[in-house]
């Protein structure tokens, strides 16, 4: 199975900060990488798919990059509603595994 | 508006069974692949099972293979997860999620609100 590792596990940031979350796959997954946001007590929400496509309705301050084994999610200017946990997910093959999550907290 | 509403969760003893349902609306259910994903308390997300739009193709994670069974009824716009031989470690919120397949892979574009399954004696 492909293992997905996110770093950091948590971070503290202020409104307006630029935030970067890293996701590493245990093998080459090309661009088959998706990102989700989850707020406490809520279902996950798709943010980005195929390592470059922004889901409809998601603000353009979210972007991602990478291919192969290393990927990053960037929030260019953190907003109050962005405080949440973020998960990467590989869709290269089944089982479609997720990273362990990165919790973005208010500094 | 796409809506996915899970039901059927609850408290069950180890070794017991439970059947989860997911009622879909706001889209042509029979045209979409569907999945179950779970989240143990305070933990991350774990994909469990996939079913194609017709039901002819099914995949499972190793953690539930042989114990859980996914199915769908396109006439009722419903997805199901039959869970047998439940273990304490199956305690989690269970989400149904719509799957989308494209050139860039496979992703879950809509999720239900989840239903809590607690396995405890």
């Amino acid at each position: 199975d492909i293992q997905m590792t996110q770093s950091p596990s948590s971070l503290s940031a202020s409104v307006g900060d630029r935030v970067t979350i890293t996701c590493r796959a245990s093998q080459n997954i090309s661009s088959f990488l998706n990102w989700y946001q989850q707020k406490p007590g809520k279902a996950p929400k798709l943010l980005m798919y195929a390592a470059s496509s922004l889901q409809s309705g998601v603000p353009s301050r979210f972007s991602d990059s990478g291919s192969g084994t290393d990927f990053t999610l960037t929030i260019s200017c953190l907003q109050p509603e962005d405080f949440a946990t973020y998960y990467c997910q590989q869709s290269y093959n089944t089982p479609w595994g997720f990273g362990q999550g990165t919790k973005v907290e208010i500094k | 508006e796409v809506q996915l509403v899970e039901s059927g969760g609850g408290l069950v003893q180890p070794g017991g069974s439970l059947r989860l349902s997911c009622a879909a609306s706001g889209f042509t259910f029979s045209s979409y692949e569907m999945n179950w994903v779970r989240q143990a308390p305070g933990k991350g997300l774990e994909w469990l099972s996939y079913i194609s739009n017709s039901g002819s193709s099914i995949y499972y994670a190793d953690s539930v293979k042989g114990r859980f069974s996914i199915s769908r009824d396109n006439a009722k716009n419903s997805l199901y997860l039959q869970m047998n031989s439940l273990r304490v470690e199956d305690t989690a919120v269970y989400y149904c999620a719509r799957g989308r397949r494209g050139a860039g892979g496979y992703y879950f574009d809509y999720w239900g609100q989840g239903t809590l399954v607690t396995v405890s004696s």
Side-chain angles (χ1 to χ4, degrees):
Chain A
D1 297 357
I2 298 173
Q3 304 303 314
M4 306 301 295
T5 304
Q6 289 181 232
S7 60
S9 296
S10 65
L11 64 90
S12 295
S14 300
V15 172
D17 283 354
R18 181 183 181 89
V19 168
T20 298
I21 297 168
T22 297
C23 179
R24 174 165 290 175
S26 60
Q27 68 181 70
N28 188 336
I29 60 169
S30 184
S31 296
F32 297 119
L33 194 282
N34 309 312
W35 290 96
Y36 301 84
Q37 176 194 66
Q38 187 180 33
K39 296 182 179 179
K42 300 294 187 181
K45 170 188 170 183
L46 177 67
L47 289 179
M48 309 204 64
Y49 58 97
S52 63
S53 299
L54 198 64
Q55 171 70 344
S56 175
V58 174
S60 58
R61 62 180 178 272
F62 290 92
S63 64
D64 66 355
S65 62
S67 66
T69 60
D70 294 315
F71 303 85
T72 60
L73 175 71
T74 299
I75 310 172
S76 60
C77 182
L78 199 65
Q79 297 300 299
E81 59 268 30
D82 300 336
F83 292 96
T85 300
Y86 294 85
Y87 294 93
C88 62
Q89 174 242 328
Q90 66 84 13
S91 63
Y92 186 78
N93 60 17
T94 57
W96 294 311
F98 293 85
Q100 81 279 15
T102 295
K103 187 174 184 179
V104 176
E105 298 176 298
I106 301 173
K107 181 182 283 185
Chain B
E1 179 193 4
V2 172
Q3 283 200 332
L4 298 169
V5 179
E6 301 93 339
S7 60
L11 175 63
V12 61
Q13 292 188 336
S17 298
L18 213 54
R19 188 195 196 205
L20 305 184
S21 299
C22 171
S25 61
F27 65 102
T28 305
F29 181 70
S30 60
S31 297
Y32 287 85
E33 303 165 349
M34 297 296 296
N35 298 265
W36 288 98
V37 179
R38 72 182 177 186
Q39 185 170 38
K43 302 296 184 182
L45 301 166
E46 179 188 14
W47 169 81
L48 297 180
S49 186
Y50 155 96
I51 187 167
S52 62
N53 62 322
S54 67
S56 61
S57 182
I58 286 174
Y59 309 140
Y60 295 101
D62 286 346
S63 59
V64 302
K65 196 175 296 182
R67 300 188 299 124
F68 290 12
S69 177
I70 191 172
S71 62
R72 65 190 296 160
D73 185 335
N74 287 341
K76 294 183 177 180
N77 291 338
S78 292
L79 175 73
Y80 306 101
L81 186 68
Q82 177 66 45
M83 304 186 296
N84 299 328
S85 303
L86 282 161
R87 305 167 180 167
V88 171
E89 55 265 34
D90 294 320
T91 295
V93 174
Y94 285 72
Y95 296 101
C96 63
R98 192 176 81 169
R100 293 297 302 277
R101 190 180 299 276
Y106 191 79
Y107 51 93
F108 310 115
D109 65 345
Y110 285 94
W111 299 62
Q113 86 290 349
T115 187
L116 176 62
V117 173
T118 302
V119 185
S120 174
S121 54

